[in-house]
Amino acid sequence: QTFHSVGMLTAIDHHWERGWLMTTGEVVDVWDVERSHPLHSFEWGCEVVLAGRFNQAERSLFGSCGSDNCVALYDVRQAMPVRKVQLKLRANALAWNPQSPMHFVIGNEDCNCYTFDMRKLNRAVNVHVDHVSPVLDVDFSPTGDEFVTASYDKTVRIYRSTEPTSREVYHGKRMQNVLCCSFSADRTYVFSGSQDGNVRMWKAQASRKVGVITSAEREAELYRDKLKEKYKHLKEIRRIALHKHVPRTIKYQQKERRNMREARTKKEVNRRKHSRPGAVPEVAIREKPIVQEIE
């Protein structure tokens, strides 16, 4: 069956229960697979909508990212947009947490990912750093405790949903800008597609053995995990756990970004120190990327 849209299409997603499709482009359309015309069309002052995802738990909700630096939320039952938040820079991708229906993660042009609560969009729940180029795609694991990101800096990173830094980073000598990524249904593997025309499959746990594991190997693996958990606060163990090998260019860019961030912080402190009280307000890092919330 062929569906004809009035404009170009940038992304597509499927409903988790019903035979519905959601497409983004000049407008956001919701399609029924048995009809040739969209059920609903949503438009909210945006020239091009870049990406969109249905909520896995709240089946009537879905979100989208637009070229106007806004993240919009929609409700199919109301046949109208619900609310949106305007950011300082553009959001390229959005993913809902399957275990926490109110939370979603966006990949932003400022090289960070932000976790939001749809009930309070004027402040991010968490800020996830480590990338040095725009984040182009985001996807959650089926359990909702981790998500994977694809970035223009030629790396794939895995984050725990409650931690600001990445747990794992993958890169290849020949891998170019990573455009998309996804978790496997059993959360064992991560898939990525890059600009060099290749699809790569990575282990979600880099140190885990692939294949049949005997009971003795399973017990030894659990024992090692317990040891790492017990002694994780020791300086040597912490240094090994936090160390991630990255290309030299990314290491230099991380150092440069860190210096720039420290310089901005120092400048703000000095301006606040030499200004009258309240003239230079202190803005939390979770509120800095947000311009306004629109309902």
Side-chain angles (χ1 to χ4, degrees):
Q1 189 173 354
T2 304
F3 303 93
H4 296 281
S5 175
V6 296
M8 68 172 184
L9 301 179
T10 57
I12 186 171
D13 192 31
H14 65 88
H15 196 273
W16 289 83
E17 281 185 350
R18 302 183 180 181
W20 290 353
L21 297 175
M22 185 263 295
T23 60
T24 61
E26 296 179 0
V27 296
V28 179
D29 292 326
V30 178
W31 305 77
D32 191 330
V33 295
E34 298 180 355
R35 298 179 59 180
S36 58
H37 297 282
L39 295 175
H40 305 286
S41 293
F42 303 93
E43 189 173 2
W44 199 351
C46 180
E47 293 183 0
V48 178
V49 181
L50 304 174
R53 291 280 185 93
F54 272 111
N55 193 320
Q56 294 96 320
E58 296 291 338
R59 307 300 170 89
S60 59
L61 296 177
F62 64 93
S64 68
C65 304
S67 60
D68 59 347
N69 300 353
C70 288
V71 178
L73 304 179
Y74 306 87
D75 193 335
V76 179
R77 296 169 296 184
Q78 299 181 9
M80 62 180 297
V82 179
R83 60 173 58 180
K84 70 176 180 178
V85 56
Q86 184 179 2
L87 308 175
K88 291 182 179 179
L89 293 178
R90 188 181 67 193
N92 294 319
L94 179 145
W96 294 92
N97 191 326
Q99 299 299 327
S100 182
M102 298 298 174
H103 289 180
F104 61 90
V105 172
I106 62 169
N108 201 268
E109 282 283 325
D110 63 359
C111 313
N112 297 331
C113 294
Y114 299 95
T115 299
F116 282 96
D117 189 327
M118 63 172 293
R119 297 165 294 187
K120 189 177 181 182
L121 295 177
N122 59 356
R123 179 185 175 91
V125 177
N126 208 340
V127 181
H128 310 276
V129 298
D130 278 350
H131 280 296
V132 296
S133 291
V135 181
L136 301 181
D137 198 14
V138 182
D139 188 47
F140 263 100
S141 68
T143 56
D145 57 344
E146 293 181 341
F147 63 91
V148 60
T149 61
S151 175
Y152 205 76
D153 60 7
K154 307 177 185 179
T155 62
V156 177
R157 291 183 183 268
I158 299 177
Y159 293 83
R160 293 186 177 92
S161 57
T162 57
E163 295 183 1
T165 58
S166 60
R167 172 183 66 80
E168 197 67 69
V169 55
Y170 295 109
H171 55 88
K173 187 175 182 180
R174 299 182 180 179
M175 186 167 68
Q176 299 302 312
N177 306 326
V178 187
L179 306 178
C180 57
C181 61
S182 179
F183 256 102
S184 63
D186 58 354
R187 71 183 291 250
T188 306
Y189 300 99
V190 169
F191 301 93
S192 67
S194 53
Q195 205 169 20
D196 56 1
N198 292 323
V199 175
R200 292 176 172 85
M201 183 172 66
W202 316 84
K203 291 190 294 184
Q205 298 284 345
S207 60
R208 296 292 172 85
K209 177 183 176 182
V210 177
V212 180
I213 301 178
T214 63
S215 58
E217 291 175 332
R218 172 64 64 184
E219 292 178 0
E221 185 177 323
L222 295 176
Y223 178 70
R224 291 193 296 268
D225 291 341
K226 284 294 184 181
L227 285 179
K228 289 187 288 186
E229 179 68 23
K230 181 177 180 180
Y231 297 107
K232 65 180 180 180
H233 300 293
L234 294 180
K235 183 178 180 180
E236 295 80 0
I237 303 300
R238 181 178 175 83
R239 180 182 61 82
I240 296 173
L242 294 179
H243 175 72
K244 301 178 183 67
H245 177 73
V246 294
R248 185 178 301 176
T249 56
I250 294 180
K251 186 176 180 180
Y252 288 159
Q253 289 176 355
Q254 287 178 338
K255 182 178 179 180
E256 183 179 359
R257 285 175 57 85
R258 182 167 58 251
N259 293 336
M260 294 170 61
R261 184 167 58 250
E262 292 175 355
R264 285 196 300 266
T265 303
K266 184 177 180 180
K267 182 178 180 179
E268 290 179 2
V269 171
N270 291 335
R271 290 182 59 194
R272 193 174 299 112
K273 184 186 301 183
H274 296 88
S275 301
R276 66 177 185 275
V280 183
E282 186 173 357
V283 182
I285 188 174
R286 299 184 180 185
E287 298 177 357
K288 285 184 178 180
I290 301 170
V291 177
Q292 62 177 337
E293 180 183 0
I294 305 172
E295 295 187 4

